[in-house]
Amino acid sequence: MKISVNVNGRNVDADVEPRKLLVDFIRDDLHLTGTHVGCDTSSCGACTVLLDGVAVKSCTMFAVQANNRNITTIEGLSKGDELHRLQSAFIEEGGLQCGYCTPGMIMTSAWLLSNNAAPTEEEIRNGISGNLCRCTGYDSIIRSIQKASSDRRGGRK
Amino acid sequence: MEATERFVRGKGRYVGDIELPGTLHLAIIRSKYARARLLRVEGGISGRDLSAVIPDVGEGARGESWKIKQPVFATGQVNYLGQPVAAVYADNKYLAEDLMDSVDVSYEPMQPVLDEQEAMTAEPIHPGLNSNVATDQFIGKDFEEKDAEVVLDDAFKIGRIATDPIETRGILVNYDGSRLNVWVSTQAMFSIRNGLCATLGLPITSVRVMQADTGGAFGSKSAMYPEYAIAAFVSMKTRRPVKWLESRKEHLTASRPGRGVSGSMKLFAKRDGTVIGLKGEIIVNGGAYLDGLARFSPMFIGMQLTGPYAIRNGYIRAISVVTNTPPLGPYRGAGRPEAAFFRERMMDLLADELKLDPAEIRIKNATDQVFTNPFGMRIIGSRQFMTEAFDSLEYYKLAREPNGRRGVGISCFVLVPALMEGESCKLKVDNGRIKAWLGGNSHGQAHEVFVRKLIGSTLDVSTGVVDVQPGDTDMITSGVGVWGSRSAIVAGYATVLASQTLKEKVVKTKGLYTPEYLLAGNYEAEVLNEKFDDPSLNSFGANLVTVDVDELGEVTVEECRSYYDVGNALNREMVKGQIAGGMAQGISSVLYEGLIFSKDGTLLTDSIASAGVPPARELPHFVTGITEHPSSLPHGAKGVGEAPTIGVPPALVRAIEKATGVRIRNIPIHPEVLIGPKK
């Protein structure tokens, strides 16, 4: 099936099998390998992207369902060399170890902050509970998100 | 670009991200049964095409594998759910999965043996064996019991757990006509190289293994596995690159899980709380095929049973058995958490029996000087550490607070790092920069940070001139791997020694050392250091956990604190990150995780969610306290990675016990045992 999607600000026309998952379209056809696969039950969130600004697990959708919609992947979050404030905060607060869950975690966090500029710790814990991290115990991820939210409130970046 | 920056940008290069033109995708047809006769396999490639066995490499390898060897493909009989039976390949993974239907397999199911205690008396699972007992040894020395004023016995069980890194296993193999070029997600690239060579009968020089960015491992990524041999075989057969990426469902049976141990303990003490001896029996569920780690595991658990205490007598029967479950592997701690759980449960029982405070009884049995336990393990004096730890953890304050359905638990342990075989480091100075290679590389521990720091401080150069290279078996002669809380110690020491060798080389050519002389020249040094025998490398730890348990059996962890001696912390933030992440695993190994099989051997926990990997809302904030008593090595490092999975479970279990009045003997805890009013 022919689809037309906007990915990270770029229009893409593609011919995809109806059964192809959105995550495989992103990774295998568009070669945007920052979006990861960590499970087969939509539990881990490593494949999270923004679809029209809303966080979705790209393993739960077919590529054809993204027709005429806007997708933002981790590669589209930074502006060239300049990191998104969440990306900087994850580095500064040690919000990652192996790095595998990180892109999905950051995309979910971006969506969380777009809905709630100053979430409490509990709101962050609930907000990222669709994303699993096996390395950090989440404390440093929560600090990273808090830092990114206070950076914005403080008017930086 | 720094690894962390690559990762936050989505520019990691995990094995699934590496694309080679013309790659074939492999799919594995796996046994649907825990135990069955394999009547027919038609289609795909199978044991008829590739008849080979998996060698003993990786963490805990003992050189020789056991008499029943794990085949690459099962033939005649399948012995665990998920065991590879056949494989297919196609141009993409969708087509490969379609092709799986073209393979016709028929089974005649048999009654499986799943549990280690059941295996002791059940009929042997492997044809030709007399018993399921693989190893059965006594360690320590039998002793008189007549001096004991108090004798307590109890029995415990720790269930199997999947390691569940968020990146599952994966491999990409490209046979170029003369060599196998391998990219793999691993903790031990040399184990994978040696494993492929042994399985396929290839010379060492014909395999190059490159470690891709590795998205966690926790023990399961150091062993040789059937899928690696199959991918290499298909690449050699087709002369095309071959990729295999494990699904999560596969991971839960095809990757080696950890734990799975029963222990019965008998503790002998005086009424003043002095423990005079320990007897017991350890039975380790080794799974369907036992490698060196599985066979050594019961002894390893046994020898750590005295922990930080000066217990002079010990006599332990250490048994490993085969069962119809996936072969046992290491999971963060690998024997250490099991020993700590059994021992700390007995110390709490003794405290209750004598109506003494659990902290008091622990300090009472601590040592003031170097102590050799009945199994030959040496520890340094633990008393001062313990006294400091209980203060720092605020145990006395928290234990006095009114409890209701709240409870406080503590634990103490000694972390024995895996130092055997040492580690390697190679440094090369060229064009004003220093390139560094390690024999064992990061899968989330950021080795590059301590390597740069140690090179910088030893050679008096800026860390900015150091480039830590990805793991590559062609670039360094030998190496070991990343496990057993070892890297800061062994890889750190190798880095210091290699740096010192560079220094000596500069002195030899220039008469004296200056950083300018070094960076202006071309120098190379490679070191593999193997000898470590120093009790100062064992480090002490203590944990405190407080919980609230409601009448429905729901446990809320309120406080989870550590006090660990981490030696000279090479990077405090990373040490604390390791502790927080490990404490999360310690909590979930008690409350949430587990691989549960039905009686007929069906896996009931077949997703990452049902296997219990917890999200943020199920975990508390962690208090990561450390103390730094440097080891005797020049860089002062000790181990830390496994400390939290050792120390948290016994403290958490005690806290639950205090909150509910229910004596806890088995983990993971099923909430139904906690339901109801306080007992």
Side-chain angles (χ1 to χ4, degrees):
Chain A
M1 285 176 73
K2 292 206 183 326
I3 59 169
S4 177
V5 288
N6 183 289
V7 182
N8 299 333
R10 188 170 60 95
N11 288 317
V12 179
D13 294 309
D15 193 0
V16 296
E17 264 196 279
R19 66 172 174 170
K20 181 167 262 182
L21 296 174
L22 179 57
V23 66
D24 292 326
F25 174 68
I26 291 169
R27 288 179 52 82
D28 300 343
D29 296 11
L30 304 181
H31 309 289
L32 295 169
T33 54
T35 301
H36 295 156
V37 177
C39 73
D40 29 37
T41 49
S42 304
S43 309
C44 81
C47 64
T48 305
V49 298
L50 301 182
L51 187 72
D52 295 334
V54 177
V56 297
K57 294 180 177 179
S58 61
C59 75
T60 61
M61 287 184 62
F62 294 112
V64 294
Q65 291 174 285
N67 190 28
N68 294 323
R69 303 182 71 174
N70 297 300
I71 297 168
T72 308
T73 70
I74 188 70
E75 292 90 345
L77 204 59
S78 51
K79 293 194 177 75
D81 283 349
E82 193 191 335
L83 293 172
H84 185 274
R85 63 179 186 283
L86 271 164
Q87 292 170 314
S88 309
F90 269 67
I91 294 173
E92 287 157 21
E93 292 296 323
L96 66 153
Q97 287 178 24
C98 82
Y100 197 78
C101 77
T102 311
M105 197 64 86
I106 289 178
M107 297 313 285
T108 296
S109 307
W111 176 70
L112 177 69
L113 293 185
S114 74
N115 285 317
N116 181 351
T120 62
E121 179 182 335
E122 194 185 351
E123 286 168 339
I124 294 174
R125 281 192 188 273
N126 283 323
I128 62 169
S129 275
N131 292 68
L132 298 177
C133 169
R134 189 65 159 158
C135 296
T136 63
Y138 301 105
D139 272 354
S140 58
I141 292 175
I142 292 162
R143 283 201 310 272
S144 305
I145 298 168
Q146 284 169 331
K147 181 173 174 53
S149 88
S150 62
D151 278 0
R152 183 158 67 173
R153 278 180 294 160
R156 286 166 49 200
K157 283 189 188 169
Chain B
M1 197 187 292
E2 291 284 310
T4 47
E5 185 173 341
R6 288 193 296 111
F7 295 153
V8 300
R9 285 183 178 274
K11 301 288 181 201
R13 199 161 175 266
Y14 302 91
V15 65
D17 305 336
I18 301 170
E19 295 185 28
L20 295 177
T23 295
L24 290 167
H25 293 256
L26 194 64
I28 311 289
I29 291 92
R30 300 179 181 278
S31 173
K32 293 187 214 172
Y33 299 97
R35 186 174 180 223
R37 262 182 281 281
L38 198 50
L39 302 178
R40 203 166 70 97
V41 182
E42 291 294 331
I45 55 166
S46 64
R48 275 192 300 273
D49 308 287
L50 175 57
S51 170
V53 295
I54 301 298
D56 187 12
V57 296
E59 180 174 357
R62 315 293 286 175
E64 220 171 282
S65 59
W66 193 50
K67 55 191 167 187
I68 305 291
K69 320 256 185 236
Q70 179 175 11
V72 172
F73 287 114
T75 54
Q77 186 172 313
V78 288
N79 291 303
Y80 66 94
L81 183 84
Q83 183 170 12
V85 169
V88 292
Y89 49 88
D91 287 334
N92 67 51
K93 67 179 180 189
Y94 287 80
L95 296 173
E97 280 181 32
D98 291 346
L99 269 181
M100 290 173 81
D101 288 339
S102 70
V103 179
D104 188 14
V105 185
S106 46
Y107 303 90
E108 183 187 322
M110 299 160 78
Q111 184 58 42
V113 176
L114 303 168
D115 177 86
E116 63 273 7
Q117 284 166 305
E118 182 195 348
M120 293 292 291
T121 50
E123 63 157 313
I125 64 163
H126 290 295
L129 284 186
N130 298 325
S131 141
N132 292 315
V133 175
T135 60
D136 185 355
Q137 281 173 259
F138 282 89
I139 60 168
K141 211 171 86 191
D142 202 0
F143 59 92
E144 289 284 336
E145 304 172 5
K146 61 180 188 323
D147 295 339
E149 294 162 357
V150 183
V151 181
L152 298 171
D153 55 30
D154 211 346
F156 310 100
K157 202 174 175 75
I158 302 175
R160 280 274 184 88
I161 291 182
T163 64
D164 270 326
I166 304 301
E167 184 207 31
T168 53
R169 287 186 300 127
I171 192 167
L172 172 64
V173 185
N174 187 23
Y175 181 63
D176 63 12
S178 63
R179 296 185 84 202
L180 285 170
N181 299 283
V182 178
W183 293 263
V184 65
S185 175
T186 187
Q187 301 168 251
M189 59 186 183
F190 281 101
S191 298
I192 306 303
R193 183 195 70 177
N194 298 347
L196 280 168
C197 292
T199 307
L200 299 171
L202 301 169
I204 289 287
T205 50
S206 67
V207 180
R208 175 184 186 184
V209 174
M210 290 156 277
Q211 181 181 340
D213 283 332
T214 296
F218 311 111
S220 58
K221 293 181 180 171
S222 79
M224 177 65 190
Y225 282 95
E227 298 89 352
Y228 303 163
I230 300 168
F233 176 79
V234 174
S235 183
M236 292 171 82
K237 183 180 146 93
T238 60
R239 298 285 176 102
R240 286 173 66 178
V242 175
K243 188 184 269 189
W244 173 73
L245 301 176
E246 185 180 56
S247 72
R248 181 61 54 180
K249 189 168 178 170
E250 284 180 297
H251 174 80
L252 295 168
T253 58
S255 280
R256 297 181 178 208
R259 313 286 191 265
V261 184
S262 294
S264 53
M265 298 288 125
K266 198 168 186 182
L267 182 139
F268 302 88
K270 303 248 190 205
R271 290 221 72 87
D272 70 355
T274 308
V275 179
I276 57 176
L278 199 59
K279 292 188 184 183
E281 185 179 277
I282 308 282
I283 309 173
V284 167
N285 180 348
Y289 305 95
L290 278 73
D291 66 5
L293 178 126
R295 282 172 290 143
F296 182 61
S297 181
M299 263 101 68
F300 187 56
I301 295 169
M303 62 182 251
Q304 296 179 79
L305 279 173
T306 58
Y309 310 116
I311 301 174
R312 302 203 174 274
N313 299 296
Y315 191 50
I316 303 292
R317 186 178 176 193
I319 300 166
S320 64
V321 294
V322 285
T323 62
N324 294 114
T325 63
L328 175 72
Y331 170 56
R332 197 169 190 164
R336 300 165 184 86
E338 292 89 327
F341 184 72
F342 299 150
R343 177 190 64 244
E344 294 298 287
R345 291 279 61 215
M346 293 308 289
M347 295 304 279
D348 287 334
L349 188 64
L350 181 63
D352 291 345
E353 171 71 21
L354 299 176
K355 300 194 167 43
L356 292 172
D357 185 276
E360 189 187 328
I361 210 148
R362 283 170 168 84
I363 291 171
K364 172 114 199 148
N365 286 285
T367 66
D368 286 315
Q369 47 210 317
V370 175
F371 175 75
T372 302
N373 84 354
F375 317 109
M377 197 182 86
R378 284 195 301 156
I379 57 163
I380 56 171
S382 57
R383 194 183 309 271
Q384 196 192 335
F385 171 84
M386 265 187 227
T387 310
E388 283 168 19
F390 297 139
D391 278 338
S392 167
L393 292 167
E394 298 184 294
Y395 168 70
Y396 299 103
K397 176 174 162 262
L398 290 166
R400 271 199 305 272
E401 286 174 6
N403 52 21
R405 286 191 66 92
R406 295 180 66 238
V408 184
I410 47 165
S411 69
C412 290
F413 63 92
V414 54
L415 167 61
V416 181
L419 308 179
M420 270 165 39
E421 300 169 292
E423 193 50 278
S424 60
C425 174
K426 178 170 140 182
L427 301 178
K428 193 171 179 179
V429 186
D430 192 19
N431 275 324
R433 300 195 67 80
I434 304 172
K435 281 187 176 168
W437 290 268
L438 295 177
N441 295 276
S442 173
H443 50 277
Q445 303 85 350
H447 288 49
E448 64 277 9
V449 174
F450 75 72
V451 168
R452 277 199 298 256
K453 176 177 175 169
L454 292 173
I455 292 172
S457 59
T458 312
L459 293 173
D460 200 17
V461 296
S462 151
T463 55
V465 304
V466 181
D467 302 312
V468 182
Q469 302 293 303
D472 184 337
T473 59
D474 267 17
M475 300 307 293
I476 186 165
T477 315
S478 64
V480 182
V482 177
W483 57 68
S485 306
R486 70 198 312 270
S487 289
I489 301 173
V490 292
Y493 190 33
T495 304
V496 172
L497 292 177
S499 303
Q500 287 170 348
T501 308
L502 286 182
K503 223 173 190 174
E504 287 157 17
K505 288 189 172 179
V506 173
V507 172
K508 209 165 179 184
T509 53
K510 295 285 182 183
L512 82 163
Y513 175 81
T514 71
E516 293 72 27
Y517 283 149
L518 174 78
L519 294 175
N522 287 290
Y523 298 95
E524 199 173 311
E526 183 172 339
V527 169
L528 172 70
N529 61 307
E530 297 171 83
K531 294 271 182 286
F532 292 91
D533 178 25
D534 180 344
S536 85
L537 295 169
N538 294 336
S539 56
F540 295 118
N543 280 95
L544 176 140
V545 178
T546 68
V547 298
D548 183 276
V549 187
D550 70 16
E551 295 221 342
L552 300 174
E554 180 86 13
V555 177
T556 305
V557 178
E558 294 182 333
E559 290 283 348
C560 185
R561 300 181 179 181
S562 72
Y563 187 75
Y564 299 157
D565 176 10
V566 300
N568 176 31
L570 302 180
N571 181 304
R572 274 172 165 260
E573 287 317 304
M574 290 188 175
V575 164
K576 286 175 168 260
Q578 284 289 313
I579 294 173
M583 293 213 282
Q585 292 185 355
I587 289 174
S588 62
S589 71
V590 170
L591 295 180
Y592 309 124
E593 293 193 61
L595 286 172
I596 300 169
F597 293 90
S598 71
K599 283 204 182 339
D600 68 359
T602 305
L603 181 66
L604 302 176
T605 50
D606 65 351
S607 71
I608 194 168
S610 59
V613 173
R617 66 166 161 247
E618 290 183 355
L619 292 169
H621 166 69
F622 298 103
V623 178
T624 53
I626 60 171
T627 180
E628 298 181 64
H629 298 286
S631 69
S632 61
L633 295 174
H635 62 313
K638 291 182 180 175
V640 67
E642 297 168 306
T645 51
I646 303 170
V648 168
L652 171 56
V653 161
R654 175 61 174 180
I656 294 170
E657 185 169 277
K658 290 298 280 180
T660 60
V662 177
R663 169 89 176 147
I664 310 285
R665 299 181 174 87
N666 302 335
I667 51 172
I669 298 174
H670 299 289
E672 55 268 26
V673 307
L674 306 177
I675 295 174
K678 184 166 178 172
K679 292 175 183 69

